[in-house]
Amino acid sequence: MLLLYRGESFNANFFYHSGLDLDHSFFVLDGNKKTLLVPALNEALARDTFNGKVEVYTDPVDALKKHVNKRTIDIDGANLSMRMAGKLKKFCKLNDLTIQLLKNRSKKRPDEVAKISRAVKYTKEIFENIDFKKARTEHDIRNQLLVQTMELGLETAFEPIVASDKSSSYPHYQDGNRKL
């Protein structure tokens, strides 16, 4: 049995296995049976988008106990708080699969490779159409990237990072009015 938690921050393993990014939610995979435990605020979205059983919890520990009591549970220890792990250990055994989950996600399935190939194709097309004559600043380039992405009916995976000159050495630089 696999238990994944999506707390305040994005959890790649939770998203990979559940297909959703819902805060304060637990994903339970028991064989082929998928269950999503969510707070009431996320119930409607979960029911509309999740391919499995959705249960609403008021007390997450009580809800989890019904699923994992007296069992060994595989977890993503990097994304489960020590406090929650301590509570779970009172009624089940935890097996940390953090490294294995990472390795599993690093191996791409054919459908994932196809999506990556499609993204690369569109990225090249967008880059080839940047008009550097009209762009005077990093911000202008960023805007062109975003507009072209929307015009193609796509969405960005991440905010574009446009950095020139000395700023290009900063991995998470935020573009500004620096002239190109």
Side-chain angles (χ1 to χ4, degrees):
M1 175 180 279
L2 176 65
L3 172 66
L4 301 173
Y5 177 61
R6 194 316 196 162
E8 293 286 335
S9 305
F10 179 78
N11 176 344
N13 289 315
F14 183 94
F15 181 77
Y16 183 82
H17 288 278
S18 72
L20 299 175
D21 183 27
L22 294 174
D23 63 328
H24 304 290
S25 299
F26 295 87
F27 173 74
V28 179
L29 181 62
D30 189 1
N32 291 328
K33 182 180 169 190
K34 296 178 182 180
T35 305
L36 196 63
L37 305 171
V38 299
L41 288 173
N42 288 335
E43 179 182 10
L45 180 59
R47 291 195 189 282
D48 286 347
T49 56
F50 183 64
N51 184 21
K53 183 178 180 184
V54 174
E55 295 179 17
V56 178
Y57 69 79
T58 50
D59 180 341
V61 176
D62 287 343
L64 287 167
K65 192 171 187 177
K66 294 174 188 172
H67 290 274
V68 302
N69 196 26
K70 298 180 182 176
R71 297 179 70 179
T72 297
I73 309 303
D74 295 328
I75 63 163
D76 175 5
N79 287 289
L80 187 67
S81 72
M82 289 185 68
R83 184 176 184 176
M84 180 58 78
K87 290 178 181 183
L88 292 172
K89 285 180 183 179
K90 292 177 182 176
F91 53 85
C92 67
K93 183 179 177 191
L94 303 180
N95 180 35
D96 189 356
L97 286 186
T98 301
I99 301 300
Q100 188 58 47
L101 290 165
L102 177 64
K103 287 179 181 177
N104 291 350
R105 279 195 354 264
S106 70
K107 296 176 189 168
K108 301 302 177 203
R109 299 182 313 261
D111 65 306
E112 293 172 313
V113 172
K115 287 177 183 177
I116 292 168
S117 296
R118 182 174 175 256
V120 168
K121 175 187 164 264
Y122 281 115
T123 301
K124 286 180 180 179
E125 181 180 334
I126 290 168
F127 281 2
E128 288 170 0
N129 290 316
I130 292 174
D131 187 348
F132 287 98
K133 291 178 182 173
K134 287 184 180 178
R136 291 189 162 78
T137 66
E138 296 166 340
H139 192 68
D140 292 341
I141 296 290
R142 179 184 176 275
N143 286 344
Q144 284 189 43
L145 291 169
L146 292 172
V147 167
Q148 287 186 54
T149 300
M150 287 186 284
E151 286 175 350
L152 289 169
L154 305 170
E155 59 185 59
T156 59
F158 305 97
E159 281 295 315
I161 297 173
V162 180
S164 61
D165 199 31
K166 294 178 184 177
S167 302
S168 63
S169 65
Y170 305 126
H172 296 284
Y173 175 76
Q174 292 187 345
D175 60 76
N177 288 323
R178 179 185 289 264
K179 291 186 179 183
L180 301 176

